[in-house]
């Protein structure tokens, strides 16, 4: 194993999971987080069996389970009428077939489970208030400097710092994130205020003209996470900035009255633009690599952005363990193992986004197809996605 720790920029889902996966391989790490205190916006995350397999191996799934939502199905609705178009089964049938359950959670609960595991792992140091400024490669490692003047030395640097990654920007300045023409708005609604239809143990999807809404139970089914995604011509600056509830509802005014009444229960919404840039020329250079959203932002129409980061983390830890003294070779192997799968997920997400926002005759054809096709067979088409088991 390398004598110097691996340096990880970012204490989000990708960075925390990577540190735990490295520790499982006997590799120490320092997580360098720019914030003084960790916090997560009020937003949900969907964790398919592929992500839950990794979290189980890392001992995190059991910590998350009491607060996770346990949807039995995905209920797809016509947004305008509220009519149910199809039921896609999750629950025990999926868990038995693929070896892990489908869970949904508040991002803060997932982060808390990951952080608790990190604090109990002696091979991991979590350093907050470290805003990455630059780095220099040496013969045997990397020296990273913060804007404060502090520095850390390690065997390699991994950028797990999200779509606006400093590491990505320095490595590939000619490849900024590209705006996808869509905006997401998120909120949390207390389950006790909601009508029965919206607090069922399921993930609800409402399809409409140039927009769709998704909701699911989190926090032990005490709250409901909601995301509304609409087509938007101009990008919104910042990450998770507040937006007036009336502005969200105005963009969804063609949806069913019962859905709008449910959304009207929300007190606070936060919105951000979605990005879908062209592929990077590479995911690494020398002793520096990017993973998760820093390497390959994924549109949310398959709910797989977090899962791909989790898969990345475990895969990278395994290849670094196989080539501990040659991080450059490990990074090349990591990209070879992950690139085709990630690109397939990206394209499937884009396709879902086009389908979700159809209207007119294409929308009618979509609704008919959803009503005819058995939900069980439709979900089985995604076994390639959810059935990933971490083989390297």
């Amino acid at each position: 194993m390398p004598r110097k720790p691996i340096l990880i920029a970012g204490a989000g889902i990708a960075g925390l999971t990577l540190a735990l996966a490295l520790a499982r391989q006997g590799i120490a790490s320092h997580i360098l987080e720019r914030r003084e205190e960790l916090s997560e916006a009020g937003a949900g995350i969907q964790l398919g069996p592929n992500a839950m397999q990794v979290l189980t191996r890392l001992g995190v799934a059991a910590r998350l389970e009491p607060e996770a939502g346990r949807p039995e199905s995905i209920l797809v609705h016509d947004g305008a009428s509220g009519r149910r178009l199809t039921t896609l089964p999750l629950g025990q049938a999926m868990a038995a077939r693929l070896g892990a359950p489908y869970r949904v959670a508040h991002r803060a609960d997932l982060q808390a489970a990951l952080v608790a595991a990190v604090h109990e792992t002696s091979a991991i140091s979590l350093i907050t208030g470290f805003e990455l400024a630059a780095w220099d490669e040496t013969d045997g490692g990397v020296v990273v400097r913060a804007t404060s003047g502090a520095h850390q030395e390690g065997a390699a640097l991994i950028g797990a710092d999200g779509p606006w990654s400093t590491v990505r920007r320095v490595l590939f300045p000619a490849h900024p994130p590209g705006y996808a023409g869509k905006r997401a708005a998120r909120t949390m609604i207390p389950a006790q205020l909601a009508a029965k239809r919206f607090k069922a143990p399921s993930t609800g999807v409402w399809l409409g003209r140039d927009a769709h809404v998704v909701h699911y139970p989190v926090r032990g089914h005490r709250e409901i996470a909601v995301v509304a995604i609409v087509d938007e011509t101009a990008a919104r600056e910042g990450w998770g900035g507040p937006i007036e509830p009336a502005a969200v509802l105005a963009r969804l005014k063609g949806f069913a009255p019962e859905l709008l009444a449910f959304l009207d229960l929300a007190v606070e919404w936060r919105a951000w633009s979605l990005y879908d840039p062209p592929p990077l020329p590479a995911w690494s250079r020398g002793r520096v690599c990017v993973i998760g959203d820093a390497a390959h932002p994924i549109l949310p129409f398959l709910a797989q952005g977090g899962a791909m980061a989790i898969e990345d983390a475990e895969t990278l830890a395994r290849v670094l363990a196989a080539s501990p003294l040659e991080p450059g070779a490990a990074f090349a192997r990591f990209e070879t193992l992950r690139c085709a799968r990630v690109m397939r997920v990206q394209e499937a997400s884009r396709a879902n986004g086009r389908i979700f926002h159809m209207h007119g005759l294409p929308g009618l054809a979509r609704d008919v197809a959803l009503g005819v096709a058995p939900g069980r067979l439709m979900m089985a088409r995604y076994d390639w996605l959810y059935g990933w088991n971490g083989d390297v």
Side-chain angles (χ1 to χ4, degrees):
M1 296 298 104
R3 289 188 295 272
K4 298 175 183 177
I6 300 296
L7 303 180
I8 302 170
I13 292 169
L16 294 167
T17 305
L18 175 59
L20 291 169
L22 287 169
R24 192 164 181 258
Q25 299 293 334
I27 301 175
S29 64
H30 292 341
I31 306 173
L32 311 176
E33 169 56 45
R34 64 176 180 79
R35 296 172 292 178
E36 293 289 348
E37 295 184 6
L38 299 184
S39 62
E40 272 290 356
I45 183 170
Q46 300 193 53
L47 299 165
N50 51 322
M52 292 302 296
Q53 290 266 19
V54 179
L55 295 178
T56 298
R57 287 191 284 269
L58 297 179
V60 175
R63 297 174 185 269
L64 179 64
E65 189 67 16
E67 292 298 305
R70 296 172 289 280
E72 292 297 319
S73 59
I74 300 172
L75 306 179
V76 184
H77 306 85
D78 172 66
S81 67
R83 177 173 59 92
R84 186 184 300 181
L85 300 173
T86 190
T87 299
L88 306 175
L90 301 175
Q92 288 301 315
M94 172 177 271
R97 188 172 77 253
L98 300 178
Y102 194 108
R103 293 290 183 257
V104 291
H106 193 294
R107 283 180 175 266
D109 292 334
L110 174 57
Q111 183 185 72
L114 290 165
V115 169
V118 162
H119 285 324
E120 293 179 4
T121 305
S122 60
I124 304 172
S125 296
L126 175 55
I127 302 168
T128 58
F130 192 104
E131 184 170 358
L132 180 66
W135 65 82
D136 294 307
E137 291 194 40
T138 65
D139 289 341
V142 177
V143 177
V144 174
R145 299 188 301 278
T147 54
S148 65
H151 69 276
Q152 292 286 330
E153 185 174 356
L157 170 64
I158 313 298
D161 45 347
W164 294 276
S165 164
T166 298
V167 179
R168 174 192 174 109
R169 186 174 66 248
V170 174
L171 279 183
F172 306 106
H175 295 268
Y179 179 50
K182 300 182 187 298
R183 183 191 72 203
R186 295 181 182 270
T187 191
M188 304 292 295
I189 296 175
Q192 63 182 6
L193 301 180
K196 182 178 180 180
R197 181 174 191 174
F198 297 99
K199 54 187 177 185
S202 62
T203 293
V205 181
W206 300 67
L207 309 179
R209 183 187 181 99
D210 300 330
H212 78 281
V213 177
V214 178
H215 56 82
Y216 46 84
V218 296
R219 299 244 146 125
H221 292 235
R222 299 186 303 276
E223 295 185 57
I224 303 169
V226 183
V227 59
I229 298 179
V230 301
D231 290 355
E232 190 74 46
T233 55
R236 177 187 178 93
E237 292 186 6
W239 171 258
I243 184 172
E244 287 296 322
V248 177
L249 294 178
R251 292 302 309 273
L252 302 171
K253 61 184 179 182
F255 279 73
E258 60 185 316
L259 176 64
L260 296 180
F262 167 64
L263 298 180
D264 197 35
L265 298 171
V267 174
E268 179 184 71
W269 289 84
R270 291 188 170 272
W272 55 88
S273 298
L274 301 179
Y275 292 83
D276 186 26
L280 291 173
W283 292 358
S284 65
R285 182 178 297 159
R287 290 178 174 266
V288 183
C289 182
V290 286
I291 70 169
D293 281 347
H296 47 72
I298 296 176
L299 292 171
F301 304 113
L302 262 184
Q304 280 288 307
M308 289 301 104
I310 290 169
E311 288 186 14
D312 277 1
E314 185 179 58
T315 303
L316 181 54
R318 289 181 175 181
V319 297
L320 279 168
S323 302
L325 302 180
E326 298 179 330
F331 295 156
R333 173 67 173 156
F334 165 67
E335 185 175 347
T336 297
L337 289 169
R338 294 293 301 159
C339 190
R341 175 169 171 80
V342 166
M343 291 181 68
R344 185 178 182 186
V345 173
Q346 286 176 318
E347 183 49 44
S349 297
R350 295 183 192 111
N352 265 11
R354 293 189 291 268
I355 292 169
F356 284 6
H357 290 196
M358 283 177 175
H359 53 84
L361 289 177
L364 289 174
R366 172 203 64 201
D367 294 351
V368 170
L370 287 172
V372 171
R376 177 180 57 82
L377 294 181
M378 292 182 68
M379 286 306 297
R381 292 175 57 228
Y382 288 104
D383 280 1
W384 66 269
L385 174 63
Y386 297 125
W388 183 87
N389 61 11
D391 289 342
V392 172

